[in-house]
Amino acid sequence: MPITPPPPRRGRGGAKRVLPGFGLTLGYTLFYLSIIVLIPLSALVFKTFTMTWPQFWEAVSAPRVMASYRLTFGASLIAALVNLVFGLLIAWVLVRYRFPGKKIVDALVDLPFALPTAVAGISLTALLAGNGWIGQYLEPLGIQLAFKPAGIVIALIFIGLPFVVRTVQPVLEDAEKELEEAATSLGATRLQIFFKVILPSITPALLTGFAMAFARAVGEYGSVIFIAGNMPMISEITPLIIIGKLEQYDYAGATAVAVVMLIISFALLLVINALQAWQRRHAGAPA
Amino acid sequence: MKSLTLKTVLASLAFAASGAAMAQNQLLNVSYDVAREFYKDYNAAFAAHYKKTTGKDVKIDQSHAGSSAQARAVNDGLDADVVTMNTTTDIEFLAGNGVVAKDWAKKFPHDASPTTSTMLFLVRNGNPKNIKDWDDLIKPGVQVVVVNPKTGGNGRYAYLAAWGAAREKGATDAQAAEFVGKLYKNVPVLGKGGRDATAIFLQRNIGDVLITFESEVISIDREFGKGKVQAVYPSSSIVAENPVAVVERTVAKKGTATLAKQYLDYLYSDEAQEIAAQHALRPRSEAVLKKHADTFKPLKQFTVAKYFGSLSEAQKVHFNDGGQFDKLYTPGK
């Protein structure tokens, strides 16, 4: 997903580019993507060809599976939105302020990347369960997070946070302070500056971070499985449905559900990409 | 450059040849998750026994993970010489794909299951909810922790044990279905696997009763000491077989058929049965079982075959997508 805007378009063919070798690099890009992404994924699709259409449809549209799509995509969306807001906040603080221990805080952001997801899930469960550090105070209030869909969202927020912070941070660092100063001298309020000057310049990066956090959350298994509760129709995530099908040695059914997940994810990522392009055209992002 | 590559090729060939020679006395046992400790002890005993009888050394490699995941790995090409599982369906699957012999269950005594386990209840210390038998599990206000039958053999056995126990008391299949439905209404959390369910019950303090393998119950007792939880023996429970088989595909390739058979045969020896008993697996040997009567309390048991035909048939009727278990949870039943 491009973060920087593409060079200005000059019509097709015969356009003078600054650097030669476009054909070669494009060829290499497609080749590499095929090896790493497309071939494994096409193997997945081919596995589903062993089913007839009705079988495929039955596998991917059973009530339990449908409930799991709603949960997985819904929880991922909520988690990515939360990360969008708070990830921006953290990136802002890390870029704009100096405080003791900043380096440590900066390093902490990457921890969810490094931690085995199962460890994350088990620690979160231990915190939030009725007898955990945090859960013991929430339970008497009737708030139960562990083994409920809410727990799934929390786990997904945890693993998705670094994506937003790390994509927005460099863009914020590059943002020109002079623009803000100019806006202030022209009498803009702080809110106006944020919404009219800062936000447009970081929106593409924000959207990229959001898309990554979302995509990662959709496929997440390890951290969620320990906190979800795994109740059919209520708290079963789609990756668990896939594992369940593999347990029945239903390879084709498992890949069918995986293919549906891929299609939905790809469609959503395309929408996010389109949003970026639209935003760029309208906001006239700084080139 | 050229001579160097030639040297490397020759060296690797020589190495491969020596590897092949060594493979004669090397076995890979692909097994399920919680059998790690048992097979560690058993492998040492078998190696000593083999050395004594043949004078040769033998090296046993272990691989442990979820039973079905291991079966899939072997099916997809993991070169196991023997598979030792905790559900017959996993070996049936390999037999169906020609990886193990079609008649694997007849190759060793007791349907090729040298050890068994059964499903018991674990309750909080002092049994505050006074849980004695299966019927107590469907009372309002009792919370039951079990493994999801979709993701673990432990959960499948718990479900079948509940169903069979209802049948033992004279219920029809329809009444048993109703009973099992009520039981799962009392389940707040479905564990992913046996150890996960144990953690939910013990460490997260969720539920009043945990249904799990006897082997798990005994190891919890040892680990957490008496005074935290206690085992409850219901009026009847199921026989959960731990089947073993030689992986014909691998032993044909590696020439380890005899050794693999000896390895599995020795599981039935008194020494191995004793090790199994120490690891909370019910021995088949009557003598060893009697010796450990305080660990394995007598209990009325029924086999899977008695009410379900076979585990594979139970899988089709109850656990496959759209089966009986799904019906408990999907609306519009």
Side-chain angles (χ1 to χ4, degrees):
Chain A
M1 256 169 288
I3 297 178
T4 48
R9 298 173 63 155
R10 309 208 186 153
R12 304 187 71 83
K16 274 268 182 282
R17 285 196 181 76
V18 183
L19 290 172
F22 171 72
L24 189 66
T25 48
L26 181 73
Y28 178 75
T29 304
L30 290 180
F31 170 73
Y32 190 79
L33 266 181
S34 302
I35 293 279
I36 299 291
V37 179
L38 294 178
I39 290 176
L41 289 187
S42 60
L44 196 69
V45 175
F46 277 120
K47 192 93 203 172
T48 58
F49 286 169
T50 55
M51 312 169 87
T52 62
W53 267 113
Q55 281 174 324
F56 175 85
W57 188 244
E58 198 181 334
V60 301
S61 68
R64 260 180 70 238
V65 183
M66 293 301 273
S68 81
Y69 296 145
R70 281 194 290 275
L71 176 69
T72 290
F73 287 99
S76 302
L77 209 58
I78 295 168
L81 283 169
V82 171
N83 278 330
L84 187 70
V85 176
F86 289 93
L88 173 58
L89 204 72
I90 291 171
W92 181 266
V93 169
L94 286 176
V95 170
R96 290 295 166 100
Y97 300 103
R98 299 176 110 173
F99 51 91
K102 180 173 160 174
K103 280 267 185 294
I104 295 170
V105 174
D106 202 23
L108 280 179
V109 171
D110 283 333
L111 268 190
F113 274 158
L115 206 63
T117 48
V119 175
I122 291 168
S123 333
L124 284 171
T125 311
L127 277 181
L128 301 173
N131 62 347
W133 285 355
I134 299 173
Q136 62 185 344
Y137 301 112
L138 296 177
E139 201 102 314
L141 307 173
I143 303 170
Q144 210 196 334
L145 297 175
F147 310 116
K148 292 276 182 253
I152 298 177
V153 174
I154 292 169
L156 296 180
I157 290 172
F158 177 86
I159 53 127
L161 179 73
F163 290 99
V164 178
V165 179
R166 291 299 178 231
T167 48
V168 175
Q169 225 176 338
V171 183
L172 267 181
E173 271 164 5
D174 290 347
E176 290 164 24
K177 272 244 162 83
E178 291 83 353
L179 281 177
E180 287 168 54
E181 286 159 8
T184 315
S185 68
L186 292 170
T189 61
R190 290 188 147 197
L191 269 183
Q192 277 177 315
I193 292 174
F194 180 77
F195 281 105
K196 301 232 154 152
V197 179
I198 297 168
L199 202 57
S201 65
I202 58 169
T203 303
L206 265 179
L207 280 174
T208 301
F210 172 81
M212 283 172 157
F214 172 76
R216 178 79 181 77
V218 165
E220 179 58 27
Y221 177 75
S223 65
V224 174
I225 218 66
F226 293 99
I227 200 166
N230 308 331
M231 301 299 285
M233 303 301 293
I234 298 164
S235 51
E236 276 186 320
I237 54 169
T238 313
L240 180 72
I241 298 272
I242 294 173
I243 300 275
K245 285 193 185 288
L246 287 175
E247 285 278 323
Q248 301 164 30
Y249 302 113
D250 178 8
Y251 284 79
T255 49
V257 175
V259 165
V260 170
M261 269 186 101
L262 271 179
I263 292 169
I264 300 175
S265 303
F266 189 67
L268 286 167
L269 292 176
L270 272 182
V271 168
I272 293 169
N273 258 339
L275 264 178
Q276 272 182 321
W278 176 87
Q279 191 268 345
R280 231 180 265 121
R281 274 203 304 279
H282 282 72
Chain B
M1 191 72 210
K2 197 160 188 174
S3 66
L4 180 75
T5 48
L6 194 64
K7 256 190 207 152
T8 333
V9 169
L10 283 175
S12 53
L13 274 179
F15 184 74
S18 72
M22 274 194 20
Q24 293 296 320
N25 281 327
Q26 193 165 3
L27 282 183
L28 171 59
N29 173 7
V30 167
S31 185
Y32 61 101
D33 237 338
V34 289
R36 187 177 286 106
E37 299 306 315
F38 163 62
Y39 278 108
K40 207 171 90 189
D41 291 357
Y42 171 71
N43 290 344
F46 175 74
H49 161 80
Y50 193 76
K51 179 90 181 163
K52 208 160 60 195
T53 48
T54 65
K56 277 187 279 196
D57 284 317
V58 62
K59 185 172 176 303
I60 314 283
D61 292 316
Q62 292 175 260
S63 158
H64 296 273
S67 198
S68 309
Q70 293 288 73
R72 285 196 301 276
V74 171
N75 181 58
D76 295 348
L78 175 61
D79 269 346
D81 300 274
V82 294
V83 280
T84 52
M85 298 300 190
N86 68 353
T87 40
T88 45
T89 29
D90 297 324
I91 298 190
E92 283 293 330
F93 163 71
L94 293 174
N97 290 340
V99 179
V100 307
K102 284 268 181 286
D103 60 341
W104 63 271
K106 298 197 177 59
K107 298 236 174 208
F108 296 94
H110 298 289
D111 294 332
S113 298
T115 60
T116 67
S117 195
T118 187
M119 301 311 284
L120 298 181
F121 306 161
L122 202 63
V123 295
R124 307 272 169 214
N125 201 26
N127 200 352
K129 299 259 167 146
N130 198 17
I131 290 159
K132 295 256 192 302
D133 201 1
W134 292 98
D135 294 333
D136 297 323
L137 303 184
I138 62 169
K139 284 182 178 158
V142 172
Q143 291 202 312
V144 187
V145 176
V146 281
V147 174
N148 188 337
K150 291 271 179 185
T151 55
N154 180 318
R156 289 190 275 274
Y157 274 119
Y159 173 105
L160 296 174
W163 188 289
R167 293 289 312 271
E168 284 283 301
K169 288 185 173 157
T172 62
D173 267 332
Q175 287 164 323
E178 196 186 342
F179 171 77
V180 170
K182 280 186 189 151
L183 195 157
Y184 281 88
K185 291 262 187 308
N186 277 351
V187 173
V189 178
L190 286 165
K192 180 181 159 267
R195 285 288 148 96
D196 184 35
T198 302
I200 289 167
F201 182 72
L202 275 180
Q203 289 161 357
R204 313 280 163 261
N205 249 333
I206 286 185
D208 304 303
V209 53
L210 169 74
I211 310 177
T212 189
F213 282 126
E214 178 176 51
S215 49
E216 185 78 354
V217 168
I218 293 170
S219 65
I220 291 168
D221 247 8
R222 284 175 190 163
E223 205 165 315
F224 293 90
K226 306 271 188 252
K228 204 170 167 184
V229 286
Q230 58 193 75
V232 170
Y233 284 73
S235 60
S236 69
S237 192
I238 200 160
V239 177
E241 297 183 327
N242 301 320
V244 300
V246 172
V247 182
E248 305 295 341
R249 182 195 65 199
T250 313
V251 295
K253 193 162 62 181
K254 285 164 66 175
T256 46
T258 323
L259 180 61
K261 187 171 177 336
Q262 284 168 325
Y263 177 78
L264 294 183
D265 274 335
Y266 197 64
L267 281 168
Y268 291 87
S269 68
D270 279 348
E271 188 192 9
Q273 293 279 298
E274 178 63 37
I275 296 171
Q278 283 163 11
H279 284 275
L281 296 162
R282 280 194 180 229
R284 289 286 194 180
S285 149
E286 291 296 333
V288 179
L289 188 62
K290 253 200 204 79
K291 201 177 131 197
H292 292 269
D294 54 337
T295 310
F296 305 108
K297 295 193 176 62
L299 164 81
K300 193 171 105 183
Q301 287 183 293
F302 51 87
T303 57
V304 171
K306 185 169 176 184
Y307 295 115
F308 308 100
S310 72
L311 214 47
S312 306
E313 280 172 61
Q315 175 72 38
K316 277 196 205 84
V317 174
H318 294 275
F319 307 127
N320 276 358
D321 284 0
Q324 191 67 36
F325 178 74
D326 276 359
K327 284 180 192 149
L328 297 179
Y329 282 99
T330 38
K333 207 179 93 179

